[in-house]
Amino acid sequence: MFLNNRYQYLLLGLCFLKPRSIIEIGLAQGVRAYQMVQFALKYNSNVKYTGYDVFDTKNDQWHKLVGNGKKVSSKAEIKKQLNKLTTNIELIEGMTANTLWTKKNKADFVWLDGDHRLESIRQDYEALKESKVIVFDDYYTNEEHNGFHINEYGCNKIIEKFDKDEILISSKTKKFPNVRIVFWSKNVSLINELKNFLSDKEKIKSYLSL
């Protein structure tokens, strides 16, 4: 069963895990932030969302350097959208080297999709590793994507260091089939439960219809 894109796996995982707290690294236009909060609120009425981003404070050259090909929105624009769902949000502007690495944080569910450079992803993970579940974007099955090689970009070199029982790599999707997301948790039982859930086609269909 091929899903349209890897973000559907992100949302399926979130629905299964039903987090009360969410951290996102890299918001771009806030699309994923809105979706995650919207789905999480179906299961818990008081969801805390925290988002880290440079927002619109960097130029195109910088975004190209860090592997970000998406249009970005301002902090104010994203906050306005999220406030339609809840006011229990915190948006933190700046480089995570300054806002997160020295001020570690944790949540039930983390979506890690900020600076695509390998060392930045590694440091973001280190600052968030006490979280219940961390979902990494940009796992490249062909060792590179759009010229970004796994030796310098993406999460491959981080994921290969984990115990295999701690991770779940999403299946191929129709859009960008060679780019996957990876769920990681120290709770091996939780990863096994998630694997079983995502292998159940009927359950996936029912959740996608929500």
Side-chain angles (χ1 to χ4, degrees):
M1 178 181 182
F2 285 146
L3 299 186
N4 288 326
N5 61 69
R6 64 191 185 277
Y7 304 122
Q8 288 179 298
Y9 279 110
L10 171 74
L11 297 174
L12 283 167
L14 183 143
C15 288
F16 175 77
L17 295 161
K18 301 175 176 58
R20 293 181 180 275
S21 56
I22 299 169
I23 291 175
E24 181 176 16
I25 311 296
L27 282 71
Q29 294 174 278
V31 174
R32 224 61 59 205
Y34 191 94
Q35 290 175 329
M36 288 192 293
V37 173
Q38 184 179 43
F39 276 86
L41 286 170
K42 292 178 181 291
Y43 307 104
N44 295 295
S45 60
N46 188 26
V47 174
K48 169 67 177 177
Y49 172 88
T50 305
Y52 294 81
D53 204 297
V54 296
F55 299 103
D56 60 350
T57 64
K58 300 291 185 180
N59 60 26
D60 291 344
Q61 184 177 359
W62 183 87
H63 284 288
K64 183 177 180 180
L65 173 68
V66 304
N68 178 24
K70 300 173 184 173
K71 181 182 176 183
V72 297
S73 297
S74 70
K75 180 179 176 180
E77 289 173 321
I78 294 175
K79 186 176 182 180
K80 182 179 179 181
Q81 289 301 312
L82 293 180
N83 278 343
K84 294 177 181 178
L85 299 172
T86 178
T87 57
N88 195 11
I89 64 170
E90 182 179 12
L91 301 183
I92 301 172
E93 185 174 280
M95 297 284 290
T96 51
N98 302 318
T99 61
L100 176 64
W101 297 357
T102 59
K103 305 170 186 176
K104 297 181 180 182
N105 204 347
K106 64 180 180 179
D108 292 338
F109 192 84
V110 173
W111 173 228
L112 211 171
D113 185 28
D115 187 328
H116 290 54
R117 291 175 292 186
L118 173 60
E119 287 308 313
S120 293
I121 298 172
R122 193 191 310 278
Q123 293 295 333
D124 286 344
Y125 161 75
E126 287 294 330
L128 295 162
K129 65 183 181 182
E130 295 304 316
S131 297
K132 187 174 182 180
V133 174
I134 296 178
V135 191
F136 294 81
D137 196 11
D138 301 294
Y139 180 89
Y140 307 138
T141 60
N142 282 353
E143 296 195 344
E144 70 174 5
H145 176 66
N146 287 343
F148 297 112
H149 196 275
I150 62 172
N151 287 338
E152 296 181 10
Y153 291 85
C155 68
N156 293 60
K157 294 297 181 181
I158 300 167
I159 300 304
E160 68 184 23
K161 300 291 185 182
F162 293 146
D163 186 310
K164 290 183 179 179
D165 290 334
E166 297 177 346
I167 63 170
L168 187 166
I169 301 172
S170 66
S171 299
K172 180 190 294 186
T173 55
K174 293 177 182 178
K175 187 174 183 180
F176 301 122
N178 297 318
V179 184
R180 313 289 174 85
I181 66 171
V182 182
F183 293 86
W184 169 85
S185 177
K186 287 183 290 187
N187 186 336
V188 173
S189 296
L190 188 61
I191 291 295
N192 283 332
E193 290 172 11
L194 183 58
K195 286 177 180 178
N196 290 334
F197 169 72
L198 291 178
S199 65
D200 189 323
K201 294 180 181 179
E202 292 306 314
K203 282 186 178 179
I204 287 178
K205 287 180 181 178
S206 67
Y207 271 75
L208 288 176
S209 66
L210 291 175

